[in-house]
Amino acid sequence: MPLALLALAIGAFGIGTTEFVVMGLLPEVADEFSVSVPTAGWLTTGYALGVFGGAPLLTALGTRVPRKRMLMSLMGLFIAGNVISALAPAFGIMLAGRIVASLAHGAFFGIGAVVAAGLVARDKRAGAIAMMFTGLTVANVVGVPGGTLLGQTVGWRATFLAVAAIGVVGLAGVARLVPDLPQQPPGGPASPGPTGLRRELAAFLNVQVLLAMGMTVVGFGGVFAAITYIAPMMTEVAGYADSSVTWLLALFGLGMVGGNLIGGRFADRALMPMLYVALSALTATLALFTLTAHSKPAAAVSIFLVGFFGFATVPPLQKRVLDQAAAAPTLASAVNVGAFNLGNAIAAWLGGLVISAGLGYTAPNWVGAALAASGLALALLSARLERRAAGTAGPAAASRTVRVAGSAERRRPDRPAGSADVAEPPTPPRAGGAARRPR
C-alpha cells in the first residue's frame, strides 16, 4: 500500500479520537463550566450535526480546489477547532470549537476515500479505503482510552491539545506523502471548471446512490443504538464496575479494527455478498445482545462482535457509493460519511426513546437489530433493481440487433434468408454494354 495511505490514516486517527473522547470526559467538562452532564452532552450531539452539515458544504465549496490542498485545509480547520476547545473560557466557546472541528470530519473522509481509491489499482480500492478508515478504528482502541486517561489525570484541556498535535502530524503527512492527483474521479472522466459541482450534484439523481446512503444511515446506525448506552447497560444489567467500561470500549474498538480490515478485503472480491453477510450477522448479534447483556462473558463477546460486524459494513458501503457515483464521486462520498453520523444520531435518539419508555437498558439492542435489518432489506432491494435493469438492457439490445438485421434483409430482397452479409463482386458487362442482372 502507498505511504500516502498512512498520512490519511493518521488524520483519520486524530479525527476519530476527538469525536469519541469527549464522551469519557463529560463529567470533568460539566464540572468546570458548571453545566449539567446532559447539557455537556451537546458537545457530542453538536459534533455529529456539524459532520452531517459540514460534509456536503465544504466538499461543494472545494470542488474546484485540488484534492491534496483541500485535505490540507481541512486538517488545518480540524487543528483550529481543537485548539479553540482546549483554550475555551466558556462552554459556548468550547461547543463552537467542537463544531469547527466537526466541519472537517465528513469532507476529510469523503475526499480522502476518493484519494485513497485513486492511489491503487481498481481491484484494491475497498482495501485502500479500509486502510484509511483503520485510523478511525484504531482511535477507539488507543486514542479514546488514552485521551480519557490523559484528561482524567492532567485535565481535559490537555487531551484536546494532544489531539491538535496529532492533527499537525497528519497535516505534515498529507503535505509530504499525498501526491497531487488530477481533479477527476478514479477511472472516470475529468470534470473541471464550472460544471464540476453540477456533475457532483447529478450523482444524487441515481437511485442506487440514494439506496447506498440509506443502507449507511439505517444499517450502520444500528451499531450506535446499542453502543451509545453501553455504560449503563454494562453496569446496571451485566454487573460490571464503572471502571470496566473503558476496557469494554477498547474491546469494541478491537472489533472495529478487525471488521474494517475484513470488510475491505472481501468487498474488493464480492461487494454485495459482503454486505449481506455483515448486515445479517449484525442483525442477529444485536438481537441476541438483549439476552447476552445479562452475562459478563457473553456481553463482552457481543460488544466485540457488534464492533466487528458493524465496521465490516463501512468499506463496502463507502465503495458502493463510489462505484454508483463513478462519474463524480467526491460529494457523494463526503455526504455518505455524513450519513454515518446521521445514522448514529438517529439511532442514539431512538435508543433513548425506548429507555425513557421504561423498556430497560437492553431495549436499544432491539432498535439496533431492527435498523440493521432495514439496511439489509435496502441492500437486497438495490441488488434486485440492479439485476432488473441489467435484464431490461439485455432484451432491448437484442431487439435493436434484430431490427438492424431486418433492415438489412429488407434492403436486399434478392438474397436468400440467412445468407452472409458480404459484398458481391460486380458483374462484368455483356456485349452491348448492358450489365446482366443477377438471378
Side-chain angles (χ1 to χ4, degrees):
M1 288 289 182
L3 279 177
L5 292 176
L6 176 61
L8 295 174
I10 292 172
F13 176 83
I15 291 173
T17 299
T18 203
E19 179 181 16
F20 296 112
V21 74
V22 73
M23 291 188 293
L25 299 174
L26 286 183
E28 288 78 7
V29 174
D31 287 343
E32 177 153 347
F33 291 123
S34 299
V35 299
S36 66
V37 170
T39 299
W42 275 99
L43 297 174
T44 299
T45 305
Y47 188 96
L49 294 176
V51 174
F52 180 67
L57 175 63
L58 289 183
T59 304
L61 292 175
T63 51
R64 296 190 184 182
V65 180
R67 291 190 177 123
K68 177 177 178 176
R69 190 188 307 168
M70 191 64 187
L71 288 173
M72 293 172 63
S73 300
L74 291 169
M75 286 309 301
L77 190 64
F78 169 78
I79 294 166
N82 280 284
V83 170
I84 292 172
S85 295
L87 303 179
F91 178 76
I93 295 177
M94 185 182 181
L95 179 59
R98 291 284 293 167
I99 293 174
V100 169
S102 72
L103 293 175
H105 183 126
F108 183 87
F109 279 107
I111 297 172
V114 177
V115 171
L119 292 170
V120 297
R122 183 176 294 274
D123 61 345
K124 295 182 179 180
R125 286 179 181 168
I129 294 171
M131 185 63 67
M132 184 192 71
F133 275 89
T134 296
L136 176 63
T137 58
V138 171
N140 285 272
V141 180
V142 179
V144 173
T148 301
L149 180 62
L150 177 64
Q152 292 172 344
T153 305
V154 180
W156 62 265
R157 295 180 186 274
T159 297
F160 287 97
L161 287 175
V163 172
I166 295 172
V168 172
V169 175
L171 173 59
V174 171
R176 178 69 179 85
L177 299 175
V178 174
D180 287 309
L181 295 176
Q183 185 71 352
Q184 65 183 49
S191 53
T195 62
L197 182 57
R198 287 198 202 102
R199 291 174 62 87
E200 296 286 347
L201 291 172
F204 296 94
L205 299 177
N206 184 343
V207 67
Q208 290 291 354
V209 171
L210 298 179
L211 283 172
M213 291 181 179
M215 294 178 225
T216 297
V217 172
V218 296
F220 184 80
V223 174
F224 275 78
I227 293 302
T228 299
Y229 304 98
I230 198 67
M233 193 189 308
M234 291 298 97
T235 55
E236 299 294 330
V237 179
Y240 279 107
D242 292 343
S243 59
S244 299
V245 174
T246 299
W247 70 261
L248 287 171
L249 286 174
L251 189 63
F252 172 70
L254 286 173
M256 292 165 61
V257 173
N260 180 62
L261 294 175
I262 294 296
R265 180 178 179 182
F266 285 96
D268 277 324
R269 302 181 183 180
L271 191 150
M272 293 306 290
M274 182 66 220
L275 271 179
Y276 301 152
V277 171
L279 288 171
S280 298
L282 179 61
T283 300
T285 300
L286 286 168
L288 289 173
F289 198 10
T290 308
L291 304 176
T292 59
H294 295 272
S295 165
K296 286 185 178 180
V301 172
S302 296
I303 289 171
F304 175 85
L305 291 178
V306 169
F308 184 91
F309 292 122
F311 266 74
T313 68
V314 173
L317 283 171
Q318 197 69 10
K319 186 172 185 292
R320 178 72 174 174
V321 170
L322 288 175
D323 288 346
Q324 297 301 322
T330 308
L331 184 59
S333 177
V335 171
N336 197 53
V337 173
F340 281 108
N341 284 267
L342 178 62
N344 297 349
I346 292 174
W349 174 67
L350 292 174
L353 284 182
V354 295
I355 292 175
S356 299
L359 299 179
Y361 285 119
T362 61
N365 297 330
W366 284 115
V367 174
L371 290 171
S374 300
L376 176 61
L378 288 179
L380 293 171
L381 174 62
S382 176
R384 180 179 180 183
L385 292 177
E386 202 167 39
R387 287 193 301 269
R388 181 182 297 175
T392 302
S399 176
R400 286 194 299 271
T401 303
V402 169
R403 287 198 299 270
V404 169
S407 299
E409 290 298 327
R410 285 193 296 272
R411 286 195 301 269
R412 302 293 301 276
D414 54 320
R415 293 179 53 201
S419 60
D421 188 15
V422 296
E424 294 182 355
T427 305
R430 292 191 300 176
R436 183 175 57 195
R437 294 179 55 86
R439 296 188 181 182

